[in-house]
Amino acid sequence: MILTLRALGVGDLATAVPALRALRAAHPDEEVALAAPGWLAPLVDLVGGVDRLVDTSDLDTPPPTRRAPEIAVNLHGRGPQSHRLLLATRPRRLLAYAHPDAGHHDGPHWRDDDHEIDRWCRLLAWYDIPTDRTDLALHRPPPHGVPTGVTVLHPGSKIVAKRWPPERFAALARELTDRGHRVMVTGSADERGVAGRVARLAGLPADAVLAGETDLGDLAALVAYARLVVSGDTGVAHLATGYRTASVVLFGPVAPARWGPPADRPWHRVIWAVSRDNPAWDGVGSHPTLAAVGVDEVLAAVDEVERAVRVSGAVAA
C-alpha cells in the first residue's frame, strides 16, 4: 500500500493531483490510499487513481490503516508533525521533505516560494518519480440536478482577508446579469449570509443563492458546466482550473505565484493588486490588495477570458 497524506481542503487536493497521478503511475499494482478529510470524498472520486480514502481531519491521530504501508508520502507539509504522523504508521519508506527534527534526513529541502503544484512534483522528482505539473484535469461528473451554463460568483473564503467586498460582488452580479449572464452565488453553509447579501444587493432571485445547498460533488458539477467563475483565492478557483472553466481569480494577500492557475491558459485571469499603493491593513475585512480591485477591472478581465474561450474554441474546431 502507498499511503499519502493531504489532510487539507479543496484547493489543496486539486493542486496535489499531478503528484497523486504520478504515484499511481509509478506503482500501478499497489493500493493507493489518501489520508484526507472524509468530506472530500466526492472530489477524491473525481481525481481518479486513488483506491481508498482514509478519513483524516487533523494531525493528532495516525490514519487508521489495515497494515503498515510499503511507502508513506507526505503531500501535506514540511513536518515535523505530519512526518511523525506518517512514521507512526510504520512505513517501510517515507517520501517527504527533509526534516531532521522529525528524524527524517532524506528528501529535498523545502522552499517557501514554490508554487503549490511544483512543491509536490519537486518532492517526487527527488525520489525519481516523474510528474507532469499540467496533469490537473478532474473527471467531469454528470450534471444531474445542477444548472448548466451559469456564471458562478463565490464571494466567500475561510480566510476573511481573502474576500473581495460583497458590495463589489453585488455590483459585478448586476452588470453581468444585464449582459445576459445567469448568475448563481455559491459558498459553504457558513457563507450563506454573505452570499445572500450579495444576491439581495444585486437584485437576484432567492434561488440564485446556492451557498449551503450544494455538496462538494454538486459544486464540482456546477463549476464543470459553468460559463464563468469569479472568486477569490479559494477552492472553487481550483475547480475551475481542473475543468478548464473560464475564471477570474482575485488574489490577496497570498501571491498567485504560489497558488494561481497555469499562466499559459488565457481563459484563467488573475488579478493581483500588490504592487499598488495600498493602505496599511488593520486586520479587519478584505486585505488592501483586494480592496484595491475595482468592479470595472474585473469586468475587463471577464471580457478577456470570454474572448479567450471563443478563440480557443475556434482553434479547437
Side-chain angles (χ1 to χ4, degrees), residues 259-281:
W259 287 92
D264 61 347
R265 296 185 184 183
W267 56 88
H268 300 312
R269 176 78 159 80
V270 165
I271 297 180
W272 170 233
V274 71
S275 62
R276 303 174 192 178
D277 186 19
N278 296 317
W281 187 44

Side-chain angles (χ1 to χ4, degrees), residues 30-80:
E30 291 280 353
E31 178 189 38
V32 175
L34 173 64
W39 61 269
L40 283 173
L43 185 56
V44 173
D45 291 341
L46 298 172
V47 169
V50 175
D51 299 305
R52 183 163 56 93
L53 176 63
V54 181
D55 190 358
T56 306
S57 58
D58 55 47
L59 302 184
D60 295 332
T61 306
T65 56
R66 303 173 189 140
R67 62 186 185 278
E70 289 291 312
I71 302 173
V73 187
N74 190 349
L75 301 180
H76 184 93
R78 72 177 75 190

Side-chain angles (χ1 to χ4, degrees), residues 161-184:
K162 289 185 174 185
R163 295 180 179 180
W164 197 40
E167 295 81 5
R168 295 188 197 172
F169 264 113
L172 177 66
R174 285 195 302 272
E175 181 62 33
L176 291 175
T177 299
D178 289 345
R179 294 183 178 191
H181 291 245
R182 182 185 175 191
V183 175
M184 311 297 287

Side-chain angles (χ1 to χ4, degrees), residues 10-174:
V10 171
D12 307 282
L13 178 56
T15 53
V17 166
L20 289 169
R21 298 232 175 99
L23 288 168
R24 170 81 284 164
H27 302 279
D29 299 323
E30 291 280 353
E31 178 189 38
V32 175
L34 173 64
W39 61 269
L40 283 173
L43 185 56
V44 173
D45 291 341
L46 298 172
V47 169
V50 175
D51 299 305
R52 183 163 56 93
L53 176 63
V54 181
D55 190 358
T56 306
S57 58
D58 55 47
L59 302 184
D60 295 332
T61 306
T65 56
R66 303 173 189 140
R67 62 186 185 278
E70 289 291 312
I71 302 173
V73 187
N74 190 349
L75 301 180
H76 184 93
R78 72 177 75 190
Q81 190 176 4
S82 51
H83 286 27
R84 292 170 181 152
L85 188 80
L86 287 172
L87 288 170
T89 66
R90 307 181 70 82
R92 291 185 59 185
R93 188 182 184 197
L94 174 65
L95 310 188
Y97 279 95
H99 204 306
D101 289 348
H104 185 70
H105 299 271
D106 195 19
H109 293 290
W110 180 277
R111 292 202 303 244
D112 287 334
D113 60 349
D114 272 341
H115 191 286
E116 193 69 8
I117 295 170
D118 297 322
R119 185 183 309 289
W120 309 115
C121 290
R122 185 167 70 85
L123 171 66
L124 296 188
W126 199 92
Y127 289 102
D128 297 321
I129 298 175
T131 61
D132 177 3
R133 79 171 315 276
T134 68
D135 189 12
L136 295 165
L138 298 169
H139 298 310
R140 193 175 296 271
H144 302 320
V146 300
T148 60
V150 302
T151 289
V152 176
L153 302 189
H154 191 90
S157 171
K158 288 185 294 186
I159 301 173
V160 175
K162 289 185 174 185
R163 295 180 179 180
W164 197 40
E167 295 81 5
R168 295 188 197 172
F169 264 113
L172 177 66
R174 285 195 302 272

